[in-house]
Amino acid sequence: MTTTTQRRSLRVEENDKNAIVVRLQRNQKDLVQLRTKLNSYRCEPKTHSLFERIESLRSKMDSLSHSNNEIISSLNSKRKIVGVQLDRAKRHLTEFRRLNEGVEEYLNICTGQQSAFF
């Protein structure tokens, strides 16, 4: 009875792991696209505060990209504790969403959809 429960638990954990790995791989591609947007001539910072903001976003992108790769490789490794890595990956996905919102906000400011004063 417990072996059946353990197998189900392992299958669910394996499915979660695979879904998270796919999502992290997509996020990696999205990070490349976000960086391309930020490198656009339309997004050149015109004030000191915008310069600081874009540098902060770029730094966060680099950090997320690095940790993204670490999480993917550790989830693909059979030696690591998957549950801990899944929790780390979920926190990472939340951070990615925040970064994406920050980039979108910056892009809106640069394209004149919002006031540049904040």
Side-chain angles (χ1 to χ4, degrees), residues 70-87:
E70 282 181 355
I71 295 169
I72 289 171
S73 65
S74 66
L75 284 173
N76 287 331
S77 170
K78 302 292 183 195
R79 291 174 266 138
K80 298 281 183 168
I81 300 171
V82 175
V84 173
Q85 294 303 322
L86 288 176
D87 290 340

Side-chain angles (χ1 to χ4, degrees), residues 23-114:
R23 184 65 212 148
L24 289 172
Q25 289 169 337
R26 285 185 199 148
N27 279 1
Q28 196 66 18
K29 291 177 185 175
D30 290 345
L31 283 170
V32 171
Q33 291 176 343
L34 288 175
R35 182 168 291 281
T36 301
K37 282 182 184 179
L38 283 182
N39 289 337
S40 167
Y41 72 93
R42 294 175 5 140
C43 296
E44 286 296 316
K46 293 172 181 57
T47 65
H48 182 68
S49 63
L50 288 177
F51 177 78
E52 289 176 343
R53 189 175 215 166
I54 198 169
E55 286 303 311
S56 172
L57 290 170
R58 287 177 179 156
S59 174
K60 186 67 174 171
M61 280 183 202
D62 292 340
S63 174
L64 283 174
S65 180
H66 178 72
S67 62
N68 201 8
N69 288 329
E70 282 181 355
I71 295 169
I72 289 171
S73 65
S74 66
L75 284 173
N76 287 331
S77 170
K78 302 292 183 195
R79 291 174 266 138
K80 298 281 183 168
I81 300 171
V82 175
V84 173
Q85 294 303 322
L86 288 176
D87 290 340
R88 182 177 174 211
K90 289 175 185 177
R91 286 191 308 272
H92 180 77
L93 292 173
T94 301
E95 285 299 314
F96 175 78
R97 282 188 220 106
R98 287 187 192 139
L99 172 71
N100 197 22
E101 291 168 0
V103 170
E104 290 301 319
E105 182 180 327
Y106 178 83
L107 293 174
N108 287 337
I109 291 170
C110 287
T111 57
Q113 294 178 3
Q114 292 183 358

Side-chain angles (χ1 to χ4, degrees), residues 2-17:
T2 58
T3 57
T4 304
T5 305
Q6 288 173 341
R7 280 189 225 146
R8 284 184 194 151
S9 175
L10 287 175
R11 272 187 272 151
V12 168
E13 194 172 86
E14 189 68 25
N15 288 340
D16 285 348
K17 181 182 94 166

